Every structure is written in structure tokens, then in C-alpha cells.
Amino acid sequence: MNSDSFYTHESVSDRVEAIHSLSGEIMYLIKGTEKALLVDTSVGVPGLRELVNSLTELPLTVWITHGHVDHAMGAFFFRDSELFMNHADDTVFAVQSASEVRRGYLGGSVRENPERWVNAELCPAIPANSFQDLCDGEILDLGGIHAEAYSLPGHTPGMMVVLIPEERILIT
């Protein structure tokens, strides 16, 4: 990965992009003919929105799989989109939003030039009530491709997985 950018991407298929961060997360951008869905938003280092915008011009919805620092804290960059997270993770999200938690995570997970990223400007955390509730069985029609959300509590109380049936992909 290029140390000048926190995010890179690779195509999984014609309709699915995997977005990798230097801290190890993988986010997914699913592109239909009418809409796009971003699954997770990483820790909040700038650059994710610009990368997503370079990959699609479609109206965007964002699903957060759970409220941990490495999946949900970049939601600020997408507050003009429809944002969803299971409300069972509101408390988890609130605790993980703290700046010291986010910087601690970056310090322990980034292997390439960690001091640069630990001291990087992070986006502000948004309130947990900024999200619409992502419910078990939710189906989003993106146009020719669908995303389905299913509850899988354990890792967190509100943990969700995303099935893309047309691609035979399960995002966990």
C-alpha cells in the first residue's frame, strides 16, 4: 500500500469493490444500477469519501456492521447519505467514539508509518442517534443487485452481516 494514502481498493467483481485501510479494515462498496451501498467506514482518517466518490456517482447508502472504532467512526464523512447501524450498538458506538480510543487503535494497528496516522486529523464523531436503525432482514435494492442485513450478535450486541445474494458474498 502507498503510505501517502490511508485507503486503497480492489475489485472483487464488476459490482463490488473492497476498500482496504492501513489499519487492516476492509470496507465494501456495492454498486447497482440505481444506488450504491458502502459497508463500514473505518476509523475516521480523511480520504475515504474521496475514494468512494471516485468509484461511484450513484446515490449512496451506508450500513455500519457494528459500532467498533474500526468500522463506524468514518460515518461523519457520509452524514449527507442515509446512515444505518443497529441501535443495539448505540452504547458501543458512543464509547468507541472517544478520540483517545481511536488514536490508540491506530497506534496499535497501523504498521506502515504509524506515527503519521496516530497524529492524523480525525473526523469528528457523530452522535449515535444520527443513524437509522439497521434491522434484521433489511433488504436494499440497489438496482440489479441486493444487500441483505442479518443480525449476528456476539462480537457486539448489534453486530450485523451483509449478504449479497447475486454475488454469493457474505460480509462478516
Side-chain angles (χ1 to χ4, degrees):
M1 287 191 183
N2 178 345
S3 63
D4 290 337
S5 177
F6 195 77
Y7 307 100
T8 60
H9 70 94
E10 65 179 325
S11 293
V12 175
S13 72
D14 291 341
R15 302 182 288 188
V16 180
E17 296 283 334
I19 300 172
H20 301 269
S21 75
L22 284 178
S23 48
E25 300 85 43
I26 305 173
M27 294 140 284
Y28 292 90
L29 179 65
I30 306 156
K31 299 175 284 187
T33 58
E34 299 171 23
K35 300 178 189 175
L37 173 67
L38 177 64
V39 178
D40 288 337
T41 61
S42 190
V43 71
V45 172
L48 181 59
R49 181 61 188 247
E50 294 76 12
L51 177 58
V52 169
N53 287 349
S54 76
L55 297 171
T56 186
E57 295 178 358
L58 293 167
L60 187 66
T61 298
V62 177
W63 284 1
I64 303 297
T65 58
H66 63 290
H68 278 162
V69 64
D70 53 331
H71 292 264
M73 296 308 131
F76 173 86
F77 297 123
F78 301 95
R79 61 196 187 284
D80 62 338
S81 302
E82 288 190 299
L83 292 170
F84 291 83
M85 181 180 73
N86 186 300
H87 284 311
D89 264 12
D90 286 356
T91 301
V92 172
F93 179 84
V95 170
Q96 297 277 303
S97 294
S99 179
E100 60 272 9
V101 172
R102 296 162 73 191
R103 293 197 185 284
Y105 174 79
L106 284 167
S109 61
V110 174
R111 302 289 176 241
E112 192 175 316
N113 198 4
E115 55 286 336
R116 174 181 178 189
W117 301 109
V118 168
N119 296 315
E121 181 179 342
L122 299 176
C123 68
I126 62 174
N129 66 5
S130 302
F131 297 97
Q132 297 178 57
D133 196 16
L134 183 57
C135 299
D136 186 57
E138 182 96 23
I139 298 173
L140 182 60
D141 182 352
L142 301 169
I145 189 167
H146 298 81
E148 302 175 4
Y150 294 102
S151 179
L152 189 64
H155 183 61
T156 67
M159 177 73 189
M160 303 295 280
V161 297
V162 179
L163 176 66
I164 311 167
E166 293 86 355
E167 297 286 332
R168 300 182 64 171
I169 294 173
L170 180 67
I171 300 169
T172 62

